């Protein structure tokens, strides 16, 4: 959990740049041997250990969702995203955004063993910001 607390979301002026920055930080963190080893072991054990799974949720996942909340708030302040008046929808969307980013990066870095490089990150952030049409435009 302490390792993941190193992730920061500076305001780089656009939602796409903010996403790309935090994804590259996350990928760099996953490249560290101590992170990779610990994460793989804890995730494997959590499939059989419900209290451990809950501890992962509270000490890593819920704490890191702050990045999504901060990013969405900043994008709304810049006029890139409209404010959603329904808090239930916002909470569900924040959960989905976190799951998509974390899942994509973990899968790419640890499961597929493919690089999380600037090109891949640009495509992922375009997909998140612009939907399928935005990612297709990058080729």
């Amino acid at each position: 959990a302490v390792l993941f607390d190193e992730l920061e979301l500076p305001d780089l002026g656009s939602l796409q740049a903010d996403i790309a920055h935090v994804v590259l930080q996350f990928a760099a963190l996953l490249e560290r041997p101590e992170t990779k080893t610990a994460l793989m072991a804890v995730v494997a054990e959590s499939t059989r250990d419900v209290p451990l799974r809950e501890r992962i949720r509270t000490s890593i996942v819920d704490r890191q969702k702050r990045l999504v909340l901060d990013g969405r708030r900043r994008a709304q302040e810049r006029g890139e995203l409209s404010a959603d008046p329904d808090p239930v929808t916002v909470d569900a969307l924040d959960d989905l955004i976190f799951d998509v980013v974390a899942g994509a990066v973990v899968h790419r870095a640890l499961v597929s063993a493919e690089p999380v490089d600037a090109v891949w990150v640009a495509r992922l952030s375009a997909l998140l910001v612009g939907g399928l049409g935005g990612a297709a435009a990058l080729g």
Side-chain angles (χ1 to χ4, degrees):
V2 171
L3 292 171
F4 288 98
D5 284 342
E6 294 176 14
L7 297 174
E8 297 177 352
L9 184 67
D11 188 345
L12 299 177
S14 76
L15 180 58
Q16 192 162 340
D18 292 350
I19 291 169
H21 180 80
V22 79
V23 167
L24 286 170
Q25 279 186 84
F26 183 41
L29 182 63
L30 291 178
E31 287 179 9
R32 292 165 55 177
E34 66 273 22
T35 308
K36 186 182 299 187
T37 302
L39 184 62
M40 296 296 270
V42 168
V43 169
E45 185 62 28
S46 73
T47 63
R48 298 182 300 274
D49 186 334
V50 175
L52 177 59
R53 190 173 332 142
E54 186 56 35
R55 187 155 182 217
I56 291 169
R57 175 180 303 285
T58 58
S59 47
I60 298 175
V61 175
D62 290 346
R63 284 168 41 181
Q64 295 313 308
K65 282 186 184 173
R66 68 181 163 74
L67 300 169
V68 174
L69 301 175
D70 290 348
R72 181 177 41 78
R73 180 187 46 78
R74 285 182 193 161
Q76 288 171 335
E77 289 171 357
R78 289 189 297 249
E80 294 176 281
L81 295 175
S82 60
D84 190 334
D86 180 7
V88 173
T89 302
V90 169
D91 288 345
L93 186 57
D94 289 342
D95 287 347
L96 180 59
I97 292 166
F98 181 86
D99 290 347
V100 167
V101 172
V105 176
V106 167
H107 183 272
R108 178 96 177 163
L110 301 181
V111 177
S112 297
E114 294 289 333
V116 179
D117 57 19
V119 171
W120 185 85
V121 170
R123 288 184 179 134
L124 176 65
S125 59
L127 176 65
L128 289 170
V129 172
L132 292 175
L138 288 176

